[in-house]
Amino acid sequence: MDKKELAERDKRNKKLGKKGEKLAAKYLKKQGYKILKKNFKNPFGEIDIIARQGDVVAFIEVKTRLSDIFGVPSEAVTRDKCRKYALGAKFFFAERNVACTIRFDIIEIFNGEVNHIISAFEGR
């Protein structure tokens, strides 16, 4: 692939990712979550969605795919990504005094279908 093709592919992937994040936020709102932040940039990376439901604050990685040729979307969440999310969560709470339970979820968007995997980082 040449530079132009790579740039076009990157552009398509970003557009697909943004579409998936919008769908995930809409889904979460329907489930009774309050969206606290989207695309939370921090020194360790970016957290797609931070949402609260009751006393739970969920840090959510959204993975969108059109095909399973490279596996299901959640398989793209590596141990390193989980570690960066945990550090990002600490950073998020550094200047906040909030009593809550913290959870790390993945929302897969595959062919327009939403699959919310709760406490997805356990065992990774």
Side-chain angles (χ1 to χ4, degrees):
M1 251 185 214
D2 65 20
K3 283 185 177 183
K4 187 177 178 182
E5 290 171 323
L6 287 172
E8 283 297 317
R9 185 182 70 181
D10 189 47
K11 187 177 176 181
R12 279 192 313 272
N13 286 345
K14 285 184 181 187
K15 188 175 180 181
L16 179 65
K18 290 294 175 200
K19 187 176 177 182
E21 287 173 13
K22 280 185 176 182
L23 186 59
K26 185 177 177 180
Y27 163 84
L28 289 165
K29 287 176 186 174
K30 282 184 180 178
Q31 301 304 310
Y33 287 82
K34 179 181 183 215
I35 306 299
L36 302 177
K37 291 264 185 198
K38 291 185 202 173
N39 306 113
F40 174 67
K41 290 176 181 33
N42 62 80
F44 311 102
E46 182 177 289
I47 296 173
D48 293 332
I49 299 174
I50 302 171
R52 184 174 194 138
Q53 186 182 50
D55 69 344
V56 173
V57 174
F59 293 81
I60 304 163
E61 171 74 356
V62 180
K63 286 294 182 190
T64 307
R65 296 283 190 277
L66 295 175
S67 132
D68 61 357
I69 195 165
F70 297 110
V72 296
S74 62
E75 291 176 338
V77 180
T78 63
R79 236 184 245 174
D80 187 51
K81 176 63 99 171
C82 295
R83 184 184 62 79
K84 288 178 181 178
Y85 256 62
L87 292 169
K90 285 181 183 180
F91 186 82
F92 178 78
F93 284 114
E95 296 181 10
R96 294 173 173 87
N97 187 11
V98 179
C100 64
T101 300
I102 298 171
R103 195 177 72 208
F104 299 94
D105 298 355
I106 298 172
I107 291 185
E108 296 178 316
I109 310 291
F110 184 67
N111 290 327
E113 296 292 319
V114 176
N115 180 29
H116 186 182
I117 306 168
I118 294 172
S119 298
F121 288 13
E122 292 177 13
R124 286 183 189 249

